[in-house]
Short mmCIF file of all heavy atoms in Angstrom, two decimals:
data_model
loop_
_atom_site.label_atom_id
_atom_site.label_comp_id
_atom_site.label_asym_id
_atom_site.label_seq_id
_atom_site.Cartn_x
_atom_site.Cartn_y
_atom_site.Cartn_z
N ASP N 7 0.84 -1.24 -0.04
CA ASP N 7 -0.03 -0.01 0.09
C ASP N 7 0.89 1.19 0.02
O ASP N 7 0.62 2.28 -0.72
CB ASP N 7 -0.94 -0.07 1.23
CG ASP N 7 -1.72 1.19 1.31
OD1 ASP N 7 -2.69 1.35 0.39
OD2 ASP N 7 -1.74 1.95 2.25
N LEU N 8 1.94 1.22 0.73
CA LEU N 8 2.84 2.37 0.80
C LEU N 8 3.49 2.54 -0.41
O LEU N 8 3.64 3.70 -1.00
CB LEU N 8 3.88 2.18 1.99
CG LEU N 8 4.76 3.37 2.35
CD1 LEU N 8 4.03 4.58 2.74
CD2 LEU N 8 5.64 2.89 3.52
N VAL N 9 3.98 1.48 -1.04
CA VAL N 9 4.75 1.46 -2.35
C VAL N 9 3.74 2.09 -3.46
O VAL N 9 4.19 2.98 -4.26
CB VAL N 9 5.19 0.25 -2.72
CG1 VAL N 9 5.63 0.14 -4.28
CG2 VAL N 9 6.33 -0.25 -1.92
N GLU N 10 2.49 1.67 -3.46
CA GLU N 10 1.65 2.13 -4.55
C GLU N 10 1.27 3.65 -4.28
O GLU N 10 1.25 4.29 -5.33
CB GLU N 10 0.29 1.26 -4.51
CG GLU N 10 0.51 -0.11 -5.00
CD GLU N 10 1.18 -0.24 -6.30
OE1 GLU N 10 0.69 0.48 -7.23
OE2 GLU N 10 2.20 -0.97 -6.49
N LYS N 11 1.20 4.03 -3.13
CA LYS N 11 0.95 5.37 -2.81
C LYS N 11 2.15 6.22 -3.29
O LYS N 11 1.98 7.38 -3.84
CB LYS N 11 0.70 5.60 -1.29
CG LYS N 11 -0.66 5.24 -0.87
CD LYS N 11 -0.84 5.50 0.67
CE LYS N 11 -2.33 5.01 1.02
NZ LYS N 11 -2.30 5.11 2.55
N ALA N 12 3.37 5.89 -2.99
CA ALA N 12 4.57 6.50 -3.49
C ALA N 12 4.54 6.66 -5.06
O ALA N 12 4.95 7.73 -5.49
CB ALA N 12 5.83 5.87 -2.94
N LYS N 13 4.13 5.62 -5.74
CA LYS N 13 4.11 5.56 -7.18
C LYS N 13 3.07 6.54 -7.54
O LYS N 13 3.30 7.36 -8.55
CB LYS N 13 3.75 4.21 -7.73
CG LYS N 13 4.86 3.22 -7.54
CD LYS N 13 4.47 1.85 -8.08
CE LYS N 13 5.51 0.79 -7.90
NZ LYS N 13 4.98 -0.48 -8.37
N ALA N 14 1.84 6.59 -6.89
CA ALA N 14 0.74 7.51 -7.30
C ALA N 14 1.09 8.91 -7.26
O ALA N 14 0.66 9.78 -8.02
CB ALA N 14 -0.55 7.19 -6.47
N GLU N 15 1.90 9.26 -6.28
CA GLU N 15 2.35 10.69 -6.06
C GLU N 15 3.54 11.02 -6.94
O GLU N 15 3.96 12.25 -6.94
CB GLU N 15 2.64 10.90 -4.58
CG GLU N 15 3.96 10.32 -4.13
CD GLU N 15 4.05 10.47 -2.60
OE1 GLU N 15 3.08 10.61 -1.80
OE2 GLU N 15 5.26 10.26 -2.10
N GLY N 16 4.01 10.12 -7.72
CA GLY N 16 5.08 10.35 -8.69
C GLY N 16 6.50 10.39 -8.14
O GLY N 16 7.35 11.02 -8.89
N SER N 17 6.69 9.81 -6.89
CA SER N 17 8.01 9.90 -6.32
C SER N 17 8.80 8.71 -6.44
O SER N 17 9.92 8.54 -6.02
CB SER N 17 7.85 10.33 -4.94
OG SER N 17 6.94 9.48 -4.25
N LEU N 18 8.17 7.61 -6.82
CA LEU N 18 8.89 6.29 -6.94
C LEU N 18 8.74 5.68 -8.39
O LEU N 18 7.48 5.71 -8.93
CB LEU N 18 8.16 5.36 -5.83
CG LEU N 18 8.70 3.87 -5.62
CD1 LEU N 18 10.15 3.90 -5.22
CD2 LEU N 18 7.79 3.10 -4.78
N ARG N 19 9.75 5.01 -8.75
CA ARG N 19 9.78 4.34 -9.99
C ARG N 19 8.65 3.29 -9.99
O ARG N 19 8.55 2.61 -9.11
CB ARG N 19 11.17 3.77 -10.42
CG ARG N 19 11.70 2.85 -9.40
CD ARG N 19 13.16 2.62 -9.75
NE ARG N 19 13.33 1.96 -11.14
CZ ARG N 19 14.44 2.16 -11.80
NH1 ARG N 19 15.47 2.83 -11.38
NH2 ARG N 19 14.39 1.55 -13.14
N GLU N 20 8.15 3.10 -11.27
CA GLU N 20 6.96 2.22 -11.46
C GLU N 20 7.30 0.63 -11.28
O GLU N 20 6.42 -0.10 -11.00
CB GLU N 20 6.36 2.39 -12.78
CG GLU N 20 5.44 3.75 -12.93
CD GLU N 20 4.25 3.65 -12.03
OE1 GLU N 20 3.68 2.41 -11.82
OE2 GLU N 20 3.98 4.71 -11.49
N ASP N 21 8.58 0.31 -11.51
CA ASP N 21 8.93 -1.01 -11.48
C ASP N 21 9.23 -1.52 -10.06
O ASP N 21 9.72 -2.76 -9.84
CB ASP N 21 9.91 -1.39 -12.45
CG ASP N 21 11.26 -0.64 -12.30
OD1 ASP N 21 11.29 0.30 -11.50
OD2 ASP N 21 12.18 -0.76 -13.23
N PHE N 22 9.25 -0.73 -9.04
CA PHE N 22 9.53 -1.08 -7.73
C PHE N 22 8.39 -1.82 -7.07
O PHE N 22 7.18 -1.36 -7.38
CB PHE N 22 9.87 0.13 -6.76
CG PHE N 22 10.42 -0.12 -5.53
CD1 PHE N 22 11.83 -0.34 -5.43
CD2 PHE N 22 9.72 -0.09 -4.42
CE1 PHE N 22 12.35 -0.62 -4.23
CE2 PHE N 22 10.20 -0.44 -3.11
CZ PHE N 22 11.55 -0.69 -3.02
N THR N 23 8.61 -2.84 -6.36
CA THR N 23 7.63 -3.62 -5.72
C THR N 23 7.89 -3.75 -4.14
O THR N 23 8.91 -3.48 -3.68
CB THR N 23 7.41 -5.02 -6.24
OG1 THR N 23 8.54 -5.79 -5.87
CG2 THR N 23 7.36 -4.98 -7.73
N ALA N 24 6.79 -4.13 -3.41
CA ALA N 24 6.94 -4.28 -1.95
C ALA N 24 8.01 -5.43 -1.70
O ALA N 24 8.78 -5.26 -0.62
CB ALA N 24 5.57 -4.66 -1.43
N THR N 25 8.17 -6.46 -2.51
CA THR N 25 9.09 -7.46 -2.25
C THR N 25 10.56 -6.91 -2.35
O THR N 25 11.51 -7.44 -1.74
CB THR N 25 9.00 -8.65 -3.25
OG1 THR N 25 7.62 -8.97 -3.26
CG2 THR N 25 9.89 -9.73 -2.86
N ASP N 26 10.68 -5.82 -3.10
CA ASP N 26 12.14 -5.27 -3.30
C ASP N 26 12.59 -4.72 -1.86
O ASP N 26 13.72 -4.58 -1.59
CB ASP N 26 12.03 -4.13 -4.27
CG ASP N 26 12.02 -4.54 -5.68
OD1 ASP N 26 12.68 -5.63 -5.88
OD2 ASP N 26 11.23 -4.11 -6.48
N VAL N 27 11.64 -4.22 -0.98
CA VAL N 27 12.03 -3.61 0.38
C VAL N 27 12.91 -4.67 1.14
O VAL N 27 14.08 -4.27 1.59
CB VAL N 27 10.81 -3.17 1.13
CG1 VAL N 27 11.27 -2.72 2.48
CG2 VAL N 27 10.01 -2.07 0.32
N PRO N 28 12.36 -5.91 1.52
CA PRO N 28 13.30 -6.73 2.37
C PRO N 28 14.50 -7.25 1.60
O PRO N 28 15.59 -7.34 2.23
CB PRO N 28 12.38 -7.82 2.64
CG PRO N 28 11.28 -8.01 1.65
CD PRO N 28 11.06 -6.50 1.25
N VAL N 29 14.52 -7.39 0.32
CA VAL N 29 15.68 -7.86 -0.43
C VAL N 29 16.70 -6.82 -0.48
O VAL N 29 17.89 -7.07 -0.13
CB VAL N 29 15.28 -8.32 -1.96
CG1 VAL N 29 16.56 -8.69 -2.75
CG2 VAL N 29 14.23 -9.44 -1.91
N LEU N 30 16.40 -5.63 -0.81
CA LEU N 30 17.43 -4.49 -0.90
C LEU N 30 17.96 -4.00 0.38
O LEU N 30 19.11 -3.99 0.69
CB LEU N 30 16.73 -3.27 -1.52
CG LEU N 30 16.38 -3.29 -2.95
CD1 LEU N 30 15.67 -2.10 -3.46
CD2 LEU N 30 17.71 -3.55 -3.95
N THR N 31 16.96 -4.02 1.44
CA THR N 31 17.51 -3.61 2.79
C THR N 31 18.37 -4.82 3.43
O THR N 31 19.38 -4.51 4.15
CB THR N 31 16.40 -3.43 3.79
OG1 THR N 31 15.43 -4.46 3.82
CG2 THR N 31 15.57 -2.09 3.33
N HIS N 32 18.14 -6.07 3.13
CA HIS N 32 19.01 -7.18 3.66
C HIS N 32 20.47 -7.04 2.83
O HIS N 32 21.38 -7.16 3.45
CB HIS N 32 18.45 -8.47 3.30
CG HIS N 32 19.37 -9.61 3.50
ND1 HIS N 32 19.92 -10.04 4.60
CD2 HIS N 32 20.18 -10.29 2.47
CE1 HIS N 32 20.74 -10.97 4.49
NE2 HIS N 32 20.87 -11.15 3.23
N SER N 33 20.43 -6.80 1.50
CA SER N 33 21.69 -6.59 0.79
C SER N 33 22.56 -5.55 1.40
O SER N 33 23.67 -5.64 1.58
CB SER N 33 21.33 -6.34 -0.68
OG SER N 33 20.69 -7.58 -1.20
N VAL N 34 21.80 -4.34 1.78
CA VAL N 34 22.63 -3.29 2.24
C VAL N 34 23.09 -3.53 3.61
O VAL N 34 24.22 -3.18 3.87
CB VAL N 34 21.76 -1.94 2.15
CG1 VAL N 34 22.31 -0.82 2.89
CG2 VAL N 34 21.32 -1.54 0.74
N SER N 35 22.27 -4.00 4.41
CA SER N 35 22.57 -4.32 5.80
C SER N 35 23.79 -5.31 5.97
O SER N 35 24.53 -5.35 7.03
CB SER N 35 21.42 -4.68 6.81
OG SER N 35 20.86 -5.90 6.27
N ASP N 36 23.87 -6.15 5.06
CA ASP N 36 24.98 -7.15 5.01
C ASP N 36 26.32 -6.41 5.06
O ASP N 36 27.31 -7.03 5.65
CB ASP N 36 24.92 -7.91 3.71
CG ASP N 36 24.87 -9.50 4.11
OD1 ASP N 36 24.53 -9.82 5.23
OD2 ASP N 36 25.04 -10.24 3.14
N VAL N 37 26.41 -5.07 4.54
CA VAL N 37 27.70 -4.47 4.67
C VAL N 37 28.09 -4.36 6.05
O VAL N 37 29.36 -4.41 6.36
CB VAL N 37 27.50 -3.07 3.94
CG1 VAL N 37 28.74 -2.24 4.19
CG2 VAL N 37 27.20 -3.25 2.50
N ALA N 38 27.23 -4.10 7.05
CA ALA N 38 27.48 -4.01 8.46
C ALA N 38 28.09 -5.19 9.03
O ALA N 38 29.06 -5.14 9.77
CB ALA N 38 26.27 -3.45 9.15
N ARG N 39 27.47 -6.47 8.51
CA ARG N 39 28.04 -7.65 9.11
C ARG N 39 29.40 -7.95 8.63
O ARG N 39 30.24 -8.53 9.24
CB ARG N 39 27.04 -8.80 8.66
CG ARG N 39 27.54 -10.07 9.25
CD ARG N 39 26.44 -11.17 8.72
NE ARG N 39 26.29 -11.25 7.27
CZ ARG N 39 27.23 -12.05 6.68
NH1 ARG N 39 28.13 -12.66 7.16
NH2 ARG N 39 27.06 -12.18 5.29
N LEU N 40 29.58 -7.57 7.31
CA LEU N 40 30.97 -7.92 6.69
C LEU N 40 32.11 -6.99 7.00
O LEU N 40 33.20 -7.13 6.74
CB LEU N 40 30.76 -8.00 5.19
CG LEU N 40 29.83 -9.05 4.77
CD1 LEU N 40 29.53 -9.00 3.17
CD2 LEU N 40 30.34 -10.52 4.98
N GLN N 41 31.66 -5.88 7.44
CA GLN N 41 32.68 -4.70 7.73
C GLN N 41 32.51 -4.26 9.18
O GLN N 41 31.86 -3.12 9.51
CB GLN N 41 32.42 -3.52 6.80
CG GLN N 41 32.62 -3.86 5.45
CD GLN N 41 34.19 -3.85 5.08
OE1 GLN N 41 35.11 -3.35 5.83
NE2 GLN N 41 34.52 -4.75 4.02
N PRO N 42 32.96 -4.97 10.19
CA PRO N 42 32.87 -4.56 11.57
C PRO N 42 33.48 -3.28 11.76
O PRO N 42 34.42 -2.84 11.20
CB PRO N 42 33.68 -5.61 12.44
CG PRO N 42 33.56 -6.82 11.42
CD PRO N 42 33.69 -6.33 10.09
N GLY N 43 32.95 -2.39 12.76
CA GLY N 43 33.46 -1.12 12.98
C GLY N 43 32.70 -0.04 12.20
O GLY N 43 31.79 0.45 12.57
N ARG N 44 33.16 0.15 10.96
CA ARG N 44 32.50 1.08 10.09
C ARG N 44 31.33 0.71 9.27
O ARG N 44 30.71 1.38 8.59
CB ARG N 44 33.66 1.67 9.15
CG ARG N 44 34.69 2.48 9.75
CD ARG N 44 35.61 2.98 8.71
NE ARG N 44 34.88 3.92 7.75
CZ ARG N 44 35.29 4.37 6.48
NH1 ARG N 44 36.46 3.85 6.17
NH2 ARG N 44 34.50 5.04 5.86
N GLY N 45 31.05 -0.61 9.46
CA GLY N 45 29.96 -1.34 8.57
C GLY N 45 28.63 -0.59 8.71
O GLY N 45 27.96 -0.36 7.70
N ARG N 46 28.23 -0.11 9.91
CA ARG N 46 26.91 0.40 10.03
C ARG N 46 26.86 1.79 9.20
O ARG N 46 25.79 2.05 8.59
CB ARG N 46 26.62 0.75 11.56
CG ARG N 46 26.46 -0.60 12.30
CD ARG N 46 26.16 -0.33 13.74
NE ARG N 46 26.05 -1.56 14.64
CZ ARG N 46 26.04 -1.59 15.86
NH1 ARG N 46 25.77 -0.36 16.52
NH2 ARG N 46 25.91 -2.74 16.55
N ASP N 47 27.84 2.53 9.34
CA ASP N 47 27.87 3.87 8.71
C ASP N 47 27.96 3.59 7.15
O ASP N 47 27.26 4.25 6.37
CB ASP N 47 29.01 4.70 9.11
CG ASP N 47 28.95 5.20 10.37
OD1 ASP N 47 27.80 5.28 10.89
OD2 ASP N 47 30.06 5.59 11.01
N LEU N 48 28.68 2.58 6.69
CA LEU N 48 28.71 2.29 5.33
C LEU N 48 27.37 1.74 4.91
O LEU N 48 26.94 2.03 3.79
CB LEU N 48 29.73 1.17 5.05
CG LEU N 48 31.19 1.77 5.10
CD1 LEU N 48 32.11 0.62 4.91
CD2 LEU N 48 31.53 2.73 4.00
N ALA N 49 26.61 1.02 5.56
CA ALA N 49 25.38 0.38 5.23
C ALA N 49 24.38 1.46 5.02
O ALA N 49 23.60 1.57 4.03
CB ALA N 49 24.87 -0.59 6.33
N ARG N 50 24.43 2.47 6.03
CA ARG N 50 23.45 3.63 5.85
C ARG N 50 23.82 4.48 4.67
O ARG N 50 23.02 5.02 3.95
CB ARG N 50 23.54 4.44 7.05
CG ARG N 50 22.73 5.79 7.03
CD ARG N 50 21.31 5.44 6.67
NE ARG N 50 20.42 5.07 7.63
CZ ARG N 50 19.89 5.86 8.39
NH1 ARG N 50 19.91 7.26 8.33
NH2 ARG N 50 18.97 5.43 9.42
N ARG N 51 25.13 4.62 4.32
CA ARG N 51 25.53 5.39 3.16
C ARG N 51 25.05 4.76 1.88
O ARG N 51 24.36 5.46 1.04
CB ARG N 51 27.08 5.50 3.15
CG ARG N 51 27.71 6.09 1.84
CD ARG N 51 29.23 6.06 1.80
NE ARG N 51 29.71 6.25 0.38
CZ ARG N 51 29.72 7.38 -0.26
NH1 ARG N 51 29.21 8.51 0.28
NH2 ARG N 51 30.08 7.51 -1.48
N HIS N 52 25.31 3.48 1.71
CA HIS N 52 24.77 2.74 0.69
C HIS N 52 23.20 2.77 0.40
O HIS N 52 22.77 2.94 -0.70
CB HIS N 52 25.30 1.30 0.76
CG HIS N 52 26.74 1.09 0.61
ND1 HIS N 52 27.45 -0.04 0.67
CD2 HIS N 52 27.78 2.07 0.32
CE1 HIS N 52 28.71 0.17 0.53
NE2 HIS N 52 28.89 1.42 0.26
N LEU N 53 22.47 2.79 1.53
CA LEU N 53 21.09 2.89 1.60
C LEU N 53 20.75 4.25 0.94
O LEU N 53 19.82 4.31 -0.01
CB LEU N 53 20.46 2.62 2.87
CG LEU N 53 18.94 2.90 2.92
CD1 LEU N 53 18.31 1.87 2.06
CD2 LEU N 53 18.41 2.84 4.29
N GLU N 54 21.29 5.27 1.39
CA GLU N 54 21.08 6.66 0.95
C GLU N 54 21.21 6.81 -0.49
O GLU N 54 20.51 7.39 -1.19
CB GLU N 54 21.74 7.76 1.79
CG GLU N 54 21.34 7.73 3.32
CD GLU N 54 19.77 7.97 3.43
OE1 GLU N 54 19.14 8.64 2.82
OE2 GLU N 54 19.29 7.28 4.51
#
């Protein structure tokens, strides 16, 4: 519902889906696990 509303207001690309949220955020947060210390900051950087 949130994804469709973002598309309707013209702020989100049309091919993005709800399933992309857990897949992308897992991939990004993996940076924190693989890079102890600076990993959290790097994960947030990559997300932004």
Side-chain angles (χ1 to χ4, degrees):
D7 183 61
L8 187 57
V9 165
E10 291 307 313
K11 287 179 178 177
K13 290 179 184 179
E15 68 189 21
S17 55
L18 179 65
R19 57 188 302 148
E20 283 296 324
D21 55 358
F22 190 85
T23 70
T25 309
D26 287 321
V27 175
V29 175
L30 289 175
T31 53
H32 167 74
S33 300
V34 171
S35 62
D36 237 12
V37 174
R39 181 179 63 82
L40 298 172
Q41 296 285 334
R44 295 186 58 197
R46 293 179 185 177
D47 289 338
L48 287 174
R50 174 53 78 88
R51 169 182 166 78
H52 291 175
L53 174 64
E54 296 304 323

